[in-house]
Amino acid sequence: MVRLITHNLLACHAKGCTTNNFPLKLTDVKLALREADFNPDFLRGFLPRVEWDALIQASREIGDTSLPVERPEMLDDDLLRQLHHVLLEIHIDEGSMTCPNCGHVYPISNGIPNMLLAEHEIW
Amino acid sequence: MPSEVTATAVDDNPEAYEQRHVHAVYDHIASHFSSTRYKPWPLVSEFLLSIPAGWVGLDSGTGNGKYLGLPTDHPGKFWTIGLDRSQGLLNLARTAGGSDKIREVVRGDVLDNGWRRGAFDFAISIATIHHLATVERRVAGVKRLLESVSPRHGRILIYVWAIEQDEHSKRIIPVSTRERICVDAEEQCPSGQDVFVPWVLSSDNARPKVPRGEQAQNVPPDAIRRYYHMFSGEELRVLVQSAAKELGLKVGPPSSNEADANSSEGVEIVVSGWERSNYYIELRRWQI
């Protein structure tokens, strides 16, 4: 299942597409909510690693507005719970991810994003 | 049941060759393969035990995703994202073989770069690089791993199949192949050996269609031939050195004595060795 934790790591890799190639824009999404093990140590450690602007953009694209626009300095309990929910409990089962630079579309099907390119699209 | 390994040669279209003898094979054998691959290898588990909380990792060539759920005693301490080309294996990896835990998996090629550069804190490549059919493609495979992790602290573990098989190996290397290996060994076997390893769908778990005595002759008709490049002694280290060089990375521990700009980024070989018929190497990226 693709969640926003994974989406935050993906970038377009079509031939010649090296700048402004992320975050991939999420559209036509079918979502599912599933509880996940809550691990505050992970969230605190992951906070400086996440591309916050990309996470905010993606979460709004799939209809969640719970996170603050600015990256928080500290995570209080409420924020930890919200971040946990947005990163790890919202599953994108179906949808499309479009490169903001070249427009390449990567489909998400049965919860699995397909990053394979056709032969002529590869480096 | 022992399976016989035969020598092979890669034709001039390595991509199509891998499609035929790696990707198509894994899609075909996915569920049976998965049922035989449930136990994490000890050194991989040990490596993962040393990963700090909050890190995110890539399992490049995740197969049935057996490493995605670790550590089991601290669920969610760090997250490992599985990458594989086989849809059949990904479907299994996603649910960790039918459990209610959902893993993160992405369909893609280990030679692609579908990630933010340096997005991961660590990467593991377990029994994957040996399915790439030319040395150039294997170097590219290692380069992708080096690029996928943080240039400041990224850690990498690579496992590949070794020519030197231990006595417990279920695989029988035919004498003809052994001789070729020995000849090469005089030159430290720099190029390893390309082989087919049959996958016998009707053995072990499934019911044999014919008596075992008949099946044991040569390669059974329903065996599927998987391509492997068996690595020789120093080959994995040489591969890492080539990949690092192409990326302009110094190989060795970080050294503050060298002030020249070229040595400001590098990769350290933390440990390397042979274990249970495999070569492994652990790497750490550094930046001064």
Side-chain angles (χ1 to χ4, degrees):
Chain A
M1 295 290 151
V2 66
R3 288 170 253 197
L4 291 189
I5 184 175
T6 302
H7 173 268
N8 202 259
L9 303 162
L10 294 172
C12 181
H13 60 116
K15 197 172 183 174
C17 189
T18 53
T19 53
N20 187 32
N21 56 348
F22 117 101
L24 303 175
K25 186 178 166 57
L26 288 161
T27 51
D28 309 319
V29 292
K30 216 175 93 189
L31 305 176
L33 298 179
R34 295 183 185 88
E35 267 184 50
D37 294 316
F38 179 62
N39 193 318
D41 289 342
F42 168 77
L43 296 166
R44 288 194 193 92
F46 185 64
L47 180 64
R49 297 170 154 70
V50 76
E51 285 285 338
W52 191 263
D53 293 348
L55 179 64
I56 294 306
Q57 188 182 320
S59 63
R60 281 161 174 58
E61 281 164 4
I62 62 172
D64 187 293
T65 54
S66 62
L67 292 176
V69 174
E70 297 291 321
R71 182 199 300 261
E73 301 279 314
M74 292 258 293
L75 291 171
D76 60 27
D77 277 357
D78 283 351
L79 208 45
L80 275 172
R81 289 280 172 190
Q82 281 161 2
L83 187 59
H84 170 73
H85 177 71
V86 173
L87 279 176
L88 299 171
E89 292 190 323
I90 305 175
H91 294 251
I92 304 162
D93 284 350
E94 308 286 333
S96 295
M97 302 185 297
T98 306
C99 173
N101 182 44
C102 75
H104 189 92
V105 178
Y106 299 92
I108 300 167
S109 169
N110 288 320
I112 302 177
N114 187 350
M115 297 300 286
L116 287 175
L117 299 170
E119 209 158 317
H120 66 276
E121 298 163 336
I122 300 170
W123 285 94
Chain B
M1 179 176 138
S3 52
E4 192 170 305
V5 175
T6 52
T8 182
V10 177
D11 60 30
D12 52 10
N13 188 343
E15 255 182 280
Y17 191 85
E18 286 168 18
Q19 179 55 43
R20 217 162 46 241
H21 291 295
V22 180
H23 310 314
V25 173
Y26 277 112
D27 269 333
H28 190 70
I29 69 176
S31 61
H32 183 219
F33 171 84
S34 183
S35 69
T36 65
R37 297 292 193 284
Y38 49 86
K39 232 171 135 181
W41 292 357
L43 280 185
V44 184
S45 299
E46 212 174 285
F47 174 83
L48 292 175
L49 270 177
S50 72
I51 299 297
W55 278 27
V56 174
L58 169 66
D59 182 2
S60 179
T62 192
N64 66 350
K66 68 179 165 194
Y67 298 110
L68 302 182
L70 300 183
T72 43
D73 54 342
H74 292 102
K77 178 189 173 193
F78 55 81
W79 277 79
T80 313
I81 319 286
L83 174 76
D84 211 282
R85 196 172 169 118
S86 161
Q87 189 70 48
L89 286 174
L90 285 175
N91 289 338
L92 295 163
R94 187 168 62 109
T95 55
S99 80
D100 58 344
K101 298 276 183 201
I102 302 290
R103 318 285 186 212
E104 286 296 286
V105 295
V106 172
R107 184 157 190 235
D109 196 289
V110 298
L111 294 184
D112 287 345
N113 240 343
W115 312 101
R116 284 197 275 120
R117 198 61 63 92
F120 293 97
D121 299 293
F122 71 95
I124 59 175
S125 167
I126 311 303
T128 298
I129 302 276
H130 59 209
H131 286 312
L132 296 168
T134 65
V135 64
E136 292 78 15
R137 291 171 72 78
R138 292 189 286 273
V139 169
V142 176
K143 278 167 71 179
R144 290 299 99 81
L145 293 171
L146 288 166
E147 289 170 326
S148 70
V149 299
S150 158
R152 287 184 299 280
H153 63 259
R155 294 179 56 194
I156 298 170
L157 181 67
I158 305 172
Y159 253 82
V160 291
W161 204 32
I163 270 185
E164 290 81 11
Q165 295 284 297
D166 74 9
E167 63 212 42
H168 304 298
S169 172
K170 284 184 285 185
R171 299 181 181 97
I172 296 169
I173 313 290
V175 174
S176 60
T177 310
R178 271 206 207 112
E179 280 168 357
R180 282 184 69 173
I181 293 164
C182 290
V183 169
D184 284 345
E186 285 172 14
E187 305 152 3
Q188 290 193 313
C189 209
S191 55
Q193 171 77 47
D194 290 327
V195 297
F196 277 139
V197 179
W199 184 268
V200 187
L201 279 171
S202 62
S203 75
D204 300 337
N205 299 14
R207 293 251 168 259
K209 293 188 189 96
V210 289
R212 268 174 185 267
E214 284 174 41
Q215 252 190 27
Q217 294 169 12
N218 278 328
V219 180
D222 52 355
I224 291 151
R225 299 191 299 171
R226 260 181 314 166
Y227 166 82
Y228 275 77
H229 177 79
M230 297 167 81
F231 277 67
S232 64
E234 286 297 296
E235 199 180 352
L236 183 56
R237 287 178 77 98
V238 171
L239 202 62
V240 166
Q241 282 159 357
S242 307
K245 195 177 164 195
E246 287 186 23
L247 292 174
L249 299 175
K250 189 186 166 205
V251 180
S255 157
S256 49
N257 296 334
E258 297 180 48
D260 64 308
N262 292 337
S263 68
S264 63
E265 255 196 304
V267 56
E268 179 184 5
I269 297 176
V270 179
V271 62
S272 68
W274 179 95
E275 191 224 21
R276 298 183 181 192
S277 311
N278 290 275
Y279 286 111
Y280 65 91
I281 195 163
E282 186 185 329
L283 310 171
R284 190 191 296 267
R285 285 201 58 177
W286 55 264
Q287 208 172 36
I288 297 173

